Amino acid sequence: MICTLYAHHVGFEKITAIIREIYPDGKLSESANGTDHFADLTIKGGLFGSSKVIKVSYRQKPKPSYQIAEGDDSAFTNNLKGLYNYVASLPSSKPDVQALLLRKIQTLNCEFTVSEDKGETKEFKTLIERLALEFDAIIFAQPDTPISRSKGQHFLDKNLNLLIDGNGACEVETLKVQIETAHFDADQSVVTDEQRARKENSEAIIKAKGIKVNVNLPCIETEDEVVFRTAQEVATRVSVLSVVNYVAFNTIPPNVAIDYLKQHNLWEHATSKEKDFLLHPTAEKQTVETWKAEDIYVLMWALGKVNTLDFPENLCNLNDIADDDQPVGSDRDPHSFIDAATISRSPKEILDAADLYYRLDWACVDARLNMQEMKQVHPGVVYERHYALNWLISYQNAEWDDVSCDT
């Protein structure tokens, strides 16, 4: 049996400690090559029995982080990128869990393969269970093993429940994404007055609403550190989103949307997921796209077409936006909207909103993980607006389909 575990938390010594605990009579040998570590455990057979061997191969990032660093072309990081693209390409019966899995992949700092190289031991499943829990790991599992949950290659969570397989099957409703504060790239011991004031203001707003505050969440970037999207980028994105949203709400059929986007040279600006929805629409994809109304609302706020970014207690209503301010329509050229666009919100306003929704999203995730109802805000609204704001501030330099809402 062989499986590979991936984790945000690191520590080869934790692996060997667990091995020694579960196999106290085994002989463990260790070796290392830079940040790569190896362990061989030999369990001697009886008088007439054969020895059994368990092997561990471990590697980690030279500098653990909470994201896939731009420009990192190491073998480990390239493997993570491949893993991310593979999971993103899979169908999914629960796209919210798939999105959380993709977020978790971005935070991974180590991987280790554990295999029974010779013979089998009854304790091996226990070893995998202990390692998965200790590292809060995700497991890439093979079929026909004691931990398998699918007939093909698949991913398991730390409790050995199926996260996703090649057919999109999933057994869980959520996936916890944890990040160690020590791994944040920015030095949180030195923050500017701007950052501190923004954090304190957001916390005061949240506290006043009776929502749980996590004072340990770090400050977000300063105005000088952020590369804001241009007015034309925002207007182009909101134009495409609006066309797709019309399809999601059954205002126009997919073929009309595709023809409109191609006619106005916007098809190339539609993302892979948007094209997939328009070309191969399903009820599940349609539901996902209806939520993008909240993203449109945020981007239109940035462009000054929405006066106030209301507190996220209720769903937005795009019909409240004046008809003259709408980016697309059967009788209008979206490029008139795009060419005339200006960012009406200051960098401070955008970062204030991004900081607030970052902290609100944490509160929503915390409530969900603790099986509590979030009554003060709508968690779905919070997530989508956080998503759009992170794109506006170029968080992790991610393109639209790959935006992460780390909390």
Side-chain angles (χ1 to χ4, degrees), residues 232 235-237 239-240 243 246 252 255-270 326-339:
Q232 278 59 52
T236 301
R237 180 93 292 270
S239 296
V240 174
V243 174
Y246 281 139
I252 59 174
N255 64 302
V256 172
I258 293 171
D259 289 345
Y260 182 89
L261 291 171
K262 288 182 176 179
Q263 176 188 351
H264 295 289
N265 299 315
L266 289 176
W267 180 247
E268 65 189 64
H269 296 287
Q326 297 291 345
V328 298
S330 59
D331 58 348
R332 67 182 66 183
D333 183 349
H335 288 283
S336 297
F337 175 86
I338 294 168
D339 294 341

Side-chain angles (χ1 to χ4, degrees), residues 47-259:
L47 183 61
F48 300 103
S50 301
S51 295
K52 299 173 182 179
V53 176
I54 293 174
K55 289 183 174 290
V56 177
S57 176
Y58 171 98
R59 64 177 176 175
Q60 69 175 61
K61 287 181 182 176
K63 182 182 178 183
S65 180
Y66 66 98
Q67 61 182 341
I68 298 176
E70 194 73 22
D72 183 353
D73 292 323
S74 66
F76 176 77
T77 298
N78 285 332
N79 184 43
L80 285 189
K81 293 175 182 176
L83 188 68
Y84 183 97
N85 292 332
Y86 172 66
V87 172
S89 71
L90 294 175
S92 177
S93 60
K94 296 179 181 177
D96 289 347
V97 176
Q98 184 183 33
L100 288 168
L101 176 56
L102 290 171
R103 288 167 64 187
K104 197 172 184 74
I105 289 172
Q106 291 176 317
T107 73
L108 298 176
N109 286 316
C110 75
E111 65 174 346
F112 49 100
T113 299
V114 186
S115 63
E116 290 178 306
D117 195 59
K118 184 188 296 184
E120 297 179 354
T121 69
K122 65 180 185 298
E123 299 92 350
F124 192 74
K125 182 179 180 181
T126 300
L127 173 63
I128 300 302
E129 291 172 336
R130 286 287 305 281
L131 290 172
L133 286 172
E134 175 68 27
F135 282 84
D136 185 32
I138 56 173
I139 302 171
F140 185 55
Q142 305 298 324
D144 302 320
T145 74
I147 66 170
S148 298
R149 304 292 294 180
S150 179
K151 294 181 179 180
Q153 294 179 329
H154 53 287
F155 291 88
L156 307 175
D157 69 5
K158 66 178 180 181
N159 297 310
L160 307 190
N161 296 315
L162 179 64
L163 285 173
I164 196 169
D165 66 7
N167 296 318
C170 177
E171 296 177 337
V172 301
E173 298 302 324
T174 190
L175 176 66
K176 193 171 185 178
V177 181
Q178 294 180 316
I179 297 175
E180 291 189 33
T181 304
H183 293 336
F184 274 91
D185 292 340
D187 183 0
Q188 291 292 316
S189 65
V190 180
V191 297
T192 66
D193 290 341
E194 170 202 335
Q195 290 174 291
R196 188 177 296 107
R198 179 172 292 118
K199 178 177 185 291
E200 291 173 353
N201 183 62
S202 295
E203 290 172 346
I205 293 172
I206 295 169
K207 186 176 180 180
K209 294 287 186 177
I211 299 172
K212 185 176 179 180
V213 173
N214 182 356
V215 296
N216 294 315
L217 286 180
C219 296
I220 69 170
E221 296 86 348
T222 66
E223 292 181 25
D224 292 337
E225 295 172 315
V226 170
V227 178
F228 296 92
R229 302 286 177 176
T230 67
Q232 278 59 52
E233 282 182 284
V234 176
T236 301
R237 180 93 292 270
V238 81
S239 296
V240 174
L241 280 169
S242 296
V243 174
V244 177
N245 205 243
Y246 281 139
V247 177
F249 282 99
N250 299 313
T251 303
I252 59 174
N255 64 302
V256 172
I258 293 171
D259 289 345

